[in-house]
Amino acid sequence: MTVDQFPDRTILVDGKTYLYFGGTSYLGMATNPDFQNLLFESIKTWGTSYGSSRNSNIQLRIYQEAEDLFSNNSGAEAALTVSSGTLAGRLVIDYLAKTHEHFYHYPKTHPAILEHSSRPLFVDGALHSRLTDEVKETIVITADALLSLAVQPTNFDFLDDISSSKTITLLIDESHSLGIVGKDGTGVFKTITHPSISQKIMISSLTKAYGCSGGVIVGNKDLIDNIRNVVVFISAAGMNPIFLQTFVKGQEIIQNQLKKLRENLQFVYGDDNLPQQFYYDHDYPVIYSHSNVIFDYLKSKGIIITNFKYPNYEALMNRIVITANHTRQDLEELKSALMAFQKETLLKDE
């Protein structure tokens, strides 16, 4: 489907308007008029783009201001913004690969934080055997804070079973949790603690919940200072400063949108009567279905959802996304359609 305007709570496809429950604009920032006005004002200050190196002799104050806000929100020592979440992941992976030989990845981890020689964290349902031996070594474990086809944060209890001989650097991707999960939407990074973790790093896209094109790296000061001096970072332009100023000045708007989103989730999930064949959690704005006919069924009811083949997953992804911008009527129509789908499915099975 090719469209000619941003799909918010509705989408225009082939001349017909549908309700849209897809995408990743969880807080609805991309089309929020107040947020857009802040962006317009930012353009007047910083222009439409800034192509210079972050290590140039001319420094834009907004970078440090925004990065201080990210580090404070995450409870980390420092933060660094870059042009995308994927670049953030690759910068960290390439940097860690210089000093770490052994990488392990949680199942379905995003490709942005997969090192080419990384081993699976689990083999046949058990921890990789090298993680339970007594060989003293420093390792890197990578994981999504909330997997693309999950509705609850990743459970890090597996850390309890890793041998104490291992010193762990934990790298997590918060792209689908930052802004919408945790207290004030600050994500899960600060909640992950374990005595075996010597270093904790977070990367994230800022394009999803926050509606700001770019990415961020969060960690200790030494890590951030070192990545500042990586060739790729020095030679690349930074994240567009207009989005950083908009993010800094838009904190009240972001929190208001988070409040609206959580009210919408309470309405959708509050009565606990969604069909059991759908996979969801009360605190997360995504509903999944494994049905191979759900997309066409909902489209017939005037609703478009996300439906495509996602890397690392075998089947098509059916992703129903609730945003802060959906109205009560939108949500009622969605719930009615999901209940009707269950009823028709049960009739066909009889």
Side-chain angles (χ1 to χ4, degrees), residues 26 125 185 213 307:
Y26 306 116
S213 294
N307 173 257

Side-chain angles (χ1 to χ4, degrees), residues 197-266:
I197 299 175
S198 65
Q199 180 177 204
K200 190 171 63 166
I201 307 166
M202 180 262 280
I203 67 99
S204 180
S205 167
L206 302 176
T207 309
K208 296 176 172 62
Y210 291 138
C212 295
S213 294
V216 66
I217 303 167
V218 169
N220 64 47
K221 188 175 184 301
D222 284 345
L223 171 83
I224 299 303
D225 287 345
N226 283 323
I227 292 181
R228 283 182 186 276
N229 291 310
V230 169
V231 170
V232 171
F233 179 79
I234 295 172
S235 59
M239 180 177 168
N240 194 322
I242 64 175
F243 289 110
L244 292 173
Q245 178 165 304
T246 303
F247 174 76
V248 170
K249 292 193 173 183
Q251 289 298 296
E252 184 177 352
I253 300 172
I254 289 170
Q255 290 303 313
N256 287 340
Q257 290 295 101
L258 178 59
K259 182 174 182 290
K260 290 179 182 178
L261 175 61
R262 289 178 171 171
E263 289 171 350
N264 281 350
L265 297 186
Q266 175 60 32

